[in-house]
Structures are given as C-alpha cells and as structure tokens.
Amino acid sequence: MSKSKFKNPVVKWIDHRLPVFSFMDHELNHYPTPKNLNYFWNFGSLAGFALVTMIVTGIVLSMNYTAHVDYAFDSVERIMRDVNHGWLIRYIHMNGASFFFIVVYIHIFRGLYYGSYKAPRELLWILGVLILLLMMATAFMGYVLPWGQMSFWGATVITNLFSAIPLVGESIVTWLWGGFSVDNSTLNRFFSLHFVLPFVIVGVVILHLVALHRFGSNNPIGIDVKGTQDTIPFSPYYTIKDLFGLSVFLSFFAAAVFFFPNFMGHPDNYIEANPMVTPAHIVPEWYFLPFYAILRAIPDKLGGVLFMFGAIAVLFILPWLDRSSVRSSQFRPIYKIFFWILLLDCILLGYLGAMPAEGIYVILSRIATAYYFFHFLILFPLLPFIEKTKPLPFSISEPILGGAATASAMATREKK
Amino acid sequence: MSTKSSSKEIKNEGKRDFLIISTYAMAGIGAASVAWPLIDQMNPAADTLALASTEVDLSSLEEGQAITVTWRGKPVFVRHRTPKEIKSAKEVSLDDMRHPETDEERVPNEKFIVLVGVCTHLGCVPLGQKSGDVKGLYGGWFCPCHGSHYDHSGRIRKGPAPTNLEVPSYKFLSENVIKIG
C-alpha cells in the first residue's frame, strides 16, 4: 500500500475511498507489457477506438433517424442533405463499420499467427469471438435501417436462413419478422437491437480487457514474460505507440470518409426498399462475403446455414483444436505456410462471395470452403505430430540482448 | 538532470515545453473540431430553416376577429383591431408599464396586430383569440397558466410575465397579405 502515490489532495481523498485512480495507474500506466510487441499489437486499441466512434456517431444519427418503413429512407436522405454535418456523421458511421471490421479481422489474424488464443488466454480468445459475433449481428441490423433495396433484401435473405431449421424454422422466421414478411415491425425491432447491442459489446470488451490484463499481452515470440527485464510500462511506451498507430489509421479512415465514402457500399441501397422487386444481384456488405460464399458453396439449405455458422463456431473451440504448445508461428515452419494459405483462402472466399453463384465460382467456393474446415478441424490438431518446431529463445530479452540475458535466464531455469 | 544544468540544457527544456504545449494545443483544436459537428447536428436542419416563413391572407378577417397561424411550430396571433381598441392602445400612458413600448413601435399597420402567441413568462399560449375567451383586465390576452394580462397591443400590464408578447418579423406583401419570418 503506497500512501503518497498521488500528490493532488482531491485525487488522494477520492482514491482512498474509491480507488479508481489507483486502478487506472495500475492498468494503464505501470501495466507491464512485453517490450517486443510489433505494430500488429496496435489493432486492439484501434478496435476500441472504432467501437467508441461507432457509438458516438450512432447516438447522434439516432437523433435524426425515423424507424418507420414510410419515413426511414427519407430520414436518412434528410440526414445527408439537411441536417447540419449530417453527411459527415453518416459517412463516418458507414465507413466506420467497414474499418471496424478491417481492424478486427487484422486483430484476429494476428492472434492466429502468434498463437494468442493458447493457454492461458483461451477465455480471452473466446470473448473476442463473441465480440465478433455481436458485431456481425449489430452490423447486419444497422445495414437494414436505411431501408434501401439492399437493406430490405439483405434482411429478407438473412432472416430466411433460420427457416432452414427443421420443424420450427418457419415459426422462428415469423417471430423474427413480427409478421409475414420483413416489414415495419422488423425495422422497429432491428433499430432497437442495433441501438442496444453496441453497449453489450462494450460489456464484453471490458471482460476481454480483464482477461487480457490477467496474464498480459502475448508477444511476437510467443513465450511467457520471465520477469521485469522482459517488460516495459504501458505508459508512455505503448500509449505513444498506440497514438501513433491511431494517427496512421485515422489518415486512411479520413481518406475513405472524405474521398471514397461509398466505395465499400452498394449503389442499390440508395434505391428505396421495394418488397415487390428483388435487385438482380444481391450481395452482403464486404465483411460478410467469406461467410456468404460458404453458405452458397453447400448445395443444401440446412447444410449451408450450418457450415456458415460452423465457420465461426470453430473459432470458439480453436484453443483446443490446436495441439501445438508453441504459440508463435516464427517457430512453426510448416504452420507458418498454412497460415498464409488460410489468409489467402479467406480472401478468395470473400472474392467468391461477391461473384454470381454459377460455373467456376461454385467449384472454387467449394474448394475454398473445404480448405477452411480442413485447416481448423484437421490441420490444427494433427500438424503438431508432424511439425518439428524451431528452438525457442530462453526469454524475450535474449534475442535482443544476446548472451548475458541467456545466461541469467538459464540460471533462473535451473533454480526451478 | 544533473545539478550543474548548463544553459544548453535549459534551452532544450524550453524547446521541450514548447513542443508539449503545441502538441496539446493541436490535440485540443482537433478534439474541438471533431466535437463541433456532433453538437451542431442538434441545431435546426436546413429543411427546418426552410419552413421558417409563413404567408397569411388577412382579407377575410373582419374587424374584431382574430386568427391563429402556425409559424416555426409556434402559434402566431393576428387580430383585426376595432378603432376603439386602437385608440386605447395608443393613448394609454407608458409610465406604469413593466416593458414600456408605444403601439407604433409594435404595430406597423394599426389595423392588424401580429404577435407570437407564447406567454413570455413560461411559454403557455394565452387566451383571447376566440370570441368567448377570457381576454384579461386590459381586453387583450390573458395567460391562464400564471395569470398574465396583456393589452390590445400585446403589452404586459399585470402578472408575472417579464416582457411584452414578442412581435415576429413580418412584412406586408400586399394590402392584405403578410409574410411572417
């Protein structure tokens, strides 16, 4: 118990009764962080920034939006034309969704490359997958709100996925819609859920951070921190690195908002929803395309839905699918190759999801889907039996400082 | 920093302070310019401002009659005053008034008086537009919420309201048509 940690008497008085300042000092200032983190470790804080941006702009947009089939489309157009700075706020929200997914996908692939999901960080990973699921639900329902053609038909197609469930499917879909088609009741409940789910995400993010701070960040070498010589305090070293990364991120984000605001959208969504006419080619938002490709690759309605959700379900059990005790791909020469194949496979699935479901695209979708599940269900459990991993360094300091640190690390090892 | 701080070190310290202050200043300007659109979106939108004027045809308004029109979501009172009402509004002494204004200052065309029908006390709509309404002690308007009495020129004469009923900006487009706003 350090008594004079804070000089300001007001801070001291509050902290004695409500130790929020001690908490922040401990978790944001002194928090020991591995000293070898690279720029891929910026994406967690970037995701947090994106979440806050989405919530702030979303609250502001909801002040000007009308959740009714007759007014929704016009109210969004009013935001674009008449509301002060409405175009800017909506473009930030619209592109913010895409950038949130870009950041989170990089964050996930970083975890896959460096084995961040392995013990003791299994729950940290699972909470992250849960956040991804919540984000997908939120993004899907948000896309329905402008009530354009893509909104309406996207909502129709996605809710109809549940009709694949045997026996109760039709009743579930009617329940989701609150009627016999996507209509005003559907729009109202989607608005309500789109508003509340981000706050659920905030809750899960807090749990994600609690789990993270239990064992601290993983690192590019993937071995445990051996002592204070392997860490540096979070502030100022990583606060400044996160801020620098944020400014680079914001440069790209601002470029999209100001110069290519509709690049990641679909022009058909600027046509008001018409329940009588389906657009010739329906595509979901880009961040759903890989999953959409898996859905279409399976020539069976229920099977397609199961495989699509299965693609996320495998992520939940990944910590137990991967039998290798070595975390970082730097020391797994074979897995490292397959990691890049998985990344290309996901990009290929994304491309195929945007293409019409015919000819060569169907065949390629099936191959890519097969590889995705092969990678998770067969490669992860079996590869460790074949793969010869490279020798791990004794400590995080060793590759940087060389011999001396190695000797001291060996000494501590022998003590054990 | 050593105790024997040379002049060069002091100079560098000044440089560092300058960098820190200018960084914070830039961050502050950046935060403010991001916050402004989020705040300003709550101000009236362009379409709301576009609806901010109303035209009223007064040709069918008989002497002694009044109509209430909507302007910016608020009631606007228009009354065609009788000669007796005009006379009393013009001749009354301003000495005892809380908010002294002459009738000429408030009414460009003495026949028609145009007022924002919102009590200046706490925003209720005063009575006095309909023939059966209570018009208060001074024959103009009476606010039932907290008992403010207004005269034929819409001036506060008795009760808690601090100022006279507001006169909106308006002009006569022709003899009998006014444009409010």
Side-chain angles (χ1 to χ4, degrees):
Chain A
M1 293 291 271
S2 56
K3 276 188 176 175
S4 55
K5 192 159 42 181
F6 304 106
K7 282 179 189 148
N8 186 321
V10 179
V11 171
K12 208 188 270 181
W13 189 92
I14 294 173
D15 197 66
H16 184 62
R17 287 152 183 83
L18 180 74
V20 281
F21 295 102
S22 290
F23 174 79
M24 289 195 296
D25 187 53
H26 187 255
E27 300 298 333
L28 297 171
N29 194 15
H30 293 303
Y31 177 61
T33 313
K35 61 183 175 186
N36 58 337
L37 300 189
N38 59 33
Y39 275 108
F40 283 105
W41 266 263
N42 278 56
F43 288 86
S45 71
L46 288 180
F49 176 83
L51 177 61
V52 171
T53 304
M54 294 306 281
I55 288 178
V56 170
T57 51
I59 287 172
V60 161
L61 284 173
S62 76
M63 294 179 188
N64 298 294
Y65 171 75
T66 311
H68 187 286
V69 287
D70 293 338
Y71 305 106
F73 187 84
D74 291 341
S75 75
V76 172
E77 284 308 304
R78 181 175 173 272
I79 289 170
M80 294 304 291
R81 290 149 203 261
D82 289 337
V83 172
N84 302 324
H85 313 285
W87 61 272
L88 175 64
I89 298 164
R90 177 166 174 263
Y91 277 156
I92 291 176
H93 198 73
M94 217 171 103
N95 287 279
S98 282
F99 274 81
F100 197 0
F101 273 97
I102 292 172
V103 164
V104 161
Y105 282 149
I106 294 174
H107 190 60
I108 292 170
F109 275 100
R110 188 269 289 156
L112 284 171
Y113 187 83
Y114 294 109
S116 299
Y117 48 86
K118 290 184 195 180
R121 297 186 182 84
E122 303 96 320
L123 271 180
L124 174 61
W125 173 263
I126 288 172
L127 288 166
V129 181
L130 194 61
I131 292 169
L132 175 66
L133 261 185
L134 286 167
M135 274 176 68
M136 289 174 141
T138 309
F140 158 66
M141 287 188 276
Y143 194 60
V144 177
L145 303 185
W147 209 243
Q149 275 289 67
M150 281 294 167
S151 301
F152 183 88
W153 293 102
T156 302
V157 169
I158 300 297
T159 48
N160 261 315
L161 292 178
F162 294 90
S163 70
I165 301 167
L167 298 173
V168 290
E170 290 296 332
S171 321
I172 287 178
V173 172
T174 307
W175 174 75
L176 285 173
W177 288 339
F180 304 98
S181 64
V182 173
D183 208 337
N184 199 44
S185 322
T186 325
L187 180 60
N188 269 293
R189 63 192 59 186
F190 278 16
F191 180 52
S192 169
L193 291 170
H194 182 72
F195 202 113
V196 78
L197 282 183
F199 297 96
V200 177
I201 294 177
V202 168
V204 185
V205 165
I206 290 170
L207 294 179
H208 192 67
L209 288 174
V210 172
L212 171 70
H213 282 227
R214 179 74 179 85
F215 295 103
S217 294
N218 183 31
N219 64 79
I221 296 178
I223 61 172
D224 289 331
V225 165
K226 295 280 189 322
T228 49
Q229 75 279 6
D230 289 343
T231 65
I232 45 176
F234 190 79
S235 194
Y237 298 102
Y238 285 112
T239 39
I240 210 73
K241 190 171 179 175
D242 278 351
L243 280 175
F244 176 71
L246 178 65
S247 59
V248 174
F249 166 79
L250 283 175
S251 312
F252 285 101
F253 187 40
V257 167
F258 290 108
F259 297 103
F260 319 98
N262 290 304
F263 177 71
M264 287 176 283
H266 201 290
D268 274 18
N269 220 30
Y270 285 105
I271 303 168
E272 192 168 1
N274 180 356
M276 300 298 128
V277 182
T278 310
H281 185 50
I282 320 182
V283 208
E285 288 283 82
W286 70 266
Y287 37 81
F288 291 136
L289 288 174
F291 303 99
Y292 193 58
I294 292 174
L295 170 76
R296 297 193 306 183
I298 309 295
D300 175 73
K301 189 175 177 182
L302 180 59
V305 174
L306 288 179
F307 272 86
M308 188 181 74
F309 284 109
I312 295 173
V314 290
L315 293 175
F316 277 107
I317 53 168
L318 174 61
W320 296 277
L321 288 174
D322 187 350
R323 311 295 295 177
S324 172
S325 57
V326 176
R327 292 199 190 103
S328 175
S329 293
Q330 288 188 17
F331 307 103
R332 299 187 64 189
I334 304 178
Y335 171 73
K336 195 181 191 172
I337 297 165
F338 280 106
F339 168 85
W340 292 109
I341 295 176
L342 178 71
L343 181 62
L344 291 176
D345 188 62
C346 290
I347 292 168
L348 177 65
L349 280 169
Y351 168 76
L352 294 169
M355 293 295 115
E358 59 197 27
I360 184 75
Y361 300 123
V362 177
I363 298 160
L364 285 173
S365 298
R366 288 183 186 157
I367 296 168
T369 302
Y371 178 77
Y372 184 91
F373 286 96
F374 161 79
H375 187 99
F376 280 95
L377 296 176
I378 296 168
L379 194 72
F380 267 123
L382 296 184
L383 190 62
F385 293 108
I386 310 159
E387 187 178 46
K388 193 176 179 308
T389 56
K390 290 182 190 167
L392 292 175
F394 290 116
S395 75
I396 290 172
S397 296
E398 188 205 42
I400 306 160
L401 299 176
T406 315
S408 68
M410 280 172 89
T412 48
R413 270 196 165 187
E414 277 157 19
K415 267 184 207 164
K416 280 180 189 170
Chain B
M1 193 141 292
S2 69
T3 45
K4 295 176 200 165
S5 57
S6 65
S7 63
K8 196 185 170 193
E9 275 174 339
I10 290 167
K11 207 171 155 192
N12 283 340
E13 232 173 273
K15 220 186 245 176
R16 191 178 61 196
D17 287 348
F18 172 76
L19 281 173
I20 289 174
I21 291 167
S22 49
T23 306
Y24 282 152
M26 286 309 291
I29 292 166
S33 52
V34 169
W36 175 243
L38 301 173
I39 295 163
D40 190 39
Q41 56 85 22
M42 287 171 77
N43 277 319
D47 61 333
T48 312
L49 293 174
L51 294 176
S53 68
T54 306
E55 283 182 27
V56 191
D57 185 358
L58 304 174
S59 53
S60 60
L61 196 64
E62 298 289 332
E63 211 172 79
Q65 281 186 330
I67 52 165
T68 305
V69 295
T70 312
W71 174 65
R72 291 182 171 176
K74 288 188 286 195
V76 167
F77 295 164
V78 185
R79 196 189 274 188
H80 187 164
R81 300 193 291 186
T82 63
K84 200 181 138 203
E85 288 172 343
I86 296 168
K87 194 161 173 277
S88 88
K90 284 189 169 174
E91 289 177 356
V92 69
S93 152
L94 302 182
D95 296 345
D96 300 335
M97 286 188 193
R98 184 173 300 152
H99 182 187
E101 279 179 316
T102 64
D103 192 56
E104 285 80 3
E105 283 177 72
R106 296 173 55 78
V107 188
N109 176 345
E110 61 177 28
K111 276 201 314 189
F112 298 106
I113 178 160
V114 183
L115 299 166
V116 175
V118 175
C119 182
T120 56
H121 180 221
L122 291 170
C124 297
V125 176
L127 297 173
Q129 287 294 89
K130 291 187 193 132
S131 54
D133 277 356
V134 184
K135 291 187 166 65
L137 296 173
Y138 299 89
W141 291 267
F142 171 69
C143 183
C145 289
H146 307 95
S148 290
H149 299 257
Y150 297 94
D151 67 9
H152 294 300
S153 195
R155 291 172 293 204
I156 179 66
R157 300 293 288 274
K158 186 171 187 288
T163 57
N164 301 335
L165 288 177
E166 190 195 335
V167 179
S169 66
Y170 66 95
K171 62 180 178 207
F172 280 84
L173 298 178
S174 65
E175 199 189 343
N176 287 318
V177 179
I178 56 167
K179 185 183 176 190
I180 306 168

